[in-house]
Amino acid sequence: MTSVVYDGTYEGWLTAVFDIYEYKLDDVVFAKGEQAAAFLFGTRHEVTTEDRKAKRVLKGLQQRLSSTALKNINLTFLSEIDYSEDIMLRFVRYAFSSGVNVEQDLANRLVWEVWEAARRVRKEAHRMEAFVRFKLTKDDLYDPLYYAVIEPQCDVLPLISDHFKNRYADQRWLIYDLKRKYGIYYDLEMLNTVEVQFSDKLGSAQIKAELCDEREEHFQNLWCRYFGAVNIEARKNLRLQMKHMPKRYWKYLTEKMPDYHRS
Amino acid sequence: MVNDRVTQKLEILAGAAKYDVSCSSGQGNRENKNKGLGDSKANGICHSFTEDGRCVALLKILLTNHCIFDCAYCVSRKSNDVKRAAFTVDEVVDLTISFYRRNYIEGLFLSSGIFYSPDYTMERLVKIVKKLRKEQNFNGYIHLKAIPGASEELIKEAGLYADRLSVNVEMPTEQSLKLLAPDKNHQDVIKPMEYLKNEIAGHKEETKLNKRAPVFAPAGQSTQMVIGATKESDLEILGMADYFYQQMKLKRVYYSGYVPISYDGRLPAIGTPVPMIRENRLYQADWLVRYYGFHVNELVGFDQPNLELDIDPKLSWALRNLHQFPLDINIADIELINRVPGIGFLGAKKIVAARKFKTLKPEDLKQMGIVYNRAKYFLSVSNPFSAHKDYTAIQIKERIQNLQNSKYKSDFSPQLTLF
């Protein structure tokens, strides 16, 4: 068994695939930089991310697959499900070994797993386009900023930032992924990936009040009242609500927060 | 103080608008040019879900719930003793923009009770959308009610700013409308609908020739029928819907299970359950007609004017047409695969793609996410050949019902479970 250690980026993974073919590595286990220490047994292969190698792999795949299938491999990477890298590798090996385009061979596990993982990521990206809730900061220190915090299961920020850029072209905004500790910031011109140090005290009501625009609380309150007013009690169906809006997302939904948690 | 007043108004006017079930925000396709606010792409987004499981995509409110009409089914009817309120034009604009900027909503769904006159009301609605589009540079989704009886000039102006316009037919037949809404007649509804149909078609032609021609209600028009307040059968309801889709080119027909809100003797009493299952079956049938190539007459007919409540209309059709099955999954046309219970149109597509690589077997279908336990009664698999032995329609129905764990089940089987 060979541990293939790469830097955790998509380019790094593509480079790893190049190396796997180059050195004819068999029976591999992927490990990202920091987890690498855990693999004490077996041989170890260090991958140095190289644009040239990554591009070669991509080009080879482009000759065999449609752009949708290529995208699906990338989405599987973002899914962060268990063994996602192995699922990707199995599919890539199958694609390279076949003379025809195999991406529609859905009855085959090797193809199906990538398809499923990609579907899962698309679904969550769509959900995040819906469930982001911006709050407006005060404008006395900096220019006003609409900020939101999310904790999605998959790494969907790269997939949704264009949507928000097109939609909120005239406001500064920041969406921060607390789970992965990075955010996307739009400065009215372009998108920037940022790392922000959030104070531990951010949760406290006092800090929030100092941070937020004076009308912010009013609109949050209006939204919650609206949310309550459009419900039809005679049709109550909590199961249906939960199906569309699983509880794991409620933490950052203004309308689902307990009152004291809001600004 | 001012804030409290707006909050109060919002509660009243959102509460009064909630019986309009439309929430879709799709097909607007209004692009954000010149760095304005908002962009409505082809697929709508549901931003939240209320405890009844319905989607919240739009700020759905009435401009006012004051109304000169007295339609029995409507919570805002003149004779009803409810709190009344009215927004100002600026309040609606401010609410829409502030909600939109926080990513609460896809846009605005604005309707109104009729105060003074239809034209006076429509004028206010148009003023709001115009302000949103022109002054606020707002490209989010706007669904506007065309007030029955308003002048064609005003409706035309509305279409230039709104993504979708709708006139609610409310009652499936003229008799019901006469009974419950003596101030209205079907003509008031059909006339503006027809006018909109022609305008939408005309503008579409124009845009084909000249890309800069103004768009007119790019997301088309829709309507709503209240279900279960009067005695119409599903045949009449779906027939009417079919007429709207075919003749009026409507994008959507909504079915709204009547929520009892009145002691009026002409209507189901307060406490009568909302016909949610029936409403659900109507939507399923509507879907089969629009996406699965079914004709209304295949689902309901004079011999069977109502959809079955305990099974969905696709299964119901299949059981009545067992002579068309089993279907060989490896060679059947996609149109026929679409008709198999347990296989949706996405599933059918996957099957047709995957079978090019190998002869599909039951375990392949299961792996691909097909509801095989439901579909298997209607399929055969070649080489080695296998098909489910000849069950009767009743046997299949029993078996399928036993495996689904329907939350409605208790409503249908008060008797003992025998298996």
Side-chain angles (χ1 to χ4, degrees), chain B residues 343-386:
Chain B
I343 303 181
F345 58 83
L346 290 176
K349 262 195 203 161
K350 282 188 269 184
I351 288 170
V352 173
R355 72 186 183 187
K356 286 189 194 127
F357 291 86
K358 62 177 284 203
T359 305
L360 299 178
K361 297 197 165 62
E363 54 272 27
D364 295 324
L365 298 182
K366 281 183 209 162
Q367 192 215 257
M368 286 158 63
I370 306 295
V371 189
Y372 184 70
N373 275 337
R374 175 177 278 251
K376 65 182 176 189
Y377 301 101
F378 307 95
L379 301 179
S380 67
V381 176
S382 45
N383 194 30
F385 179 84
S386 79

Side-chain angles (χ1 to χ4, degrees), chain A residues 145 169 171-173 185-192, chain B residues 35:
Chain A
L145 170 75
Q171 72 191 37
R172 287 179 351 119
W173 54 260
Y185 166 59
Y186 172 71
D187 62 3
L188 298 178
E189 290 297 325
M190 50 192 275
L191 297 169
N192 308 278
Chain B
K35 283 211 164 187

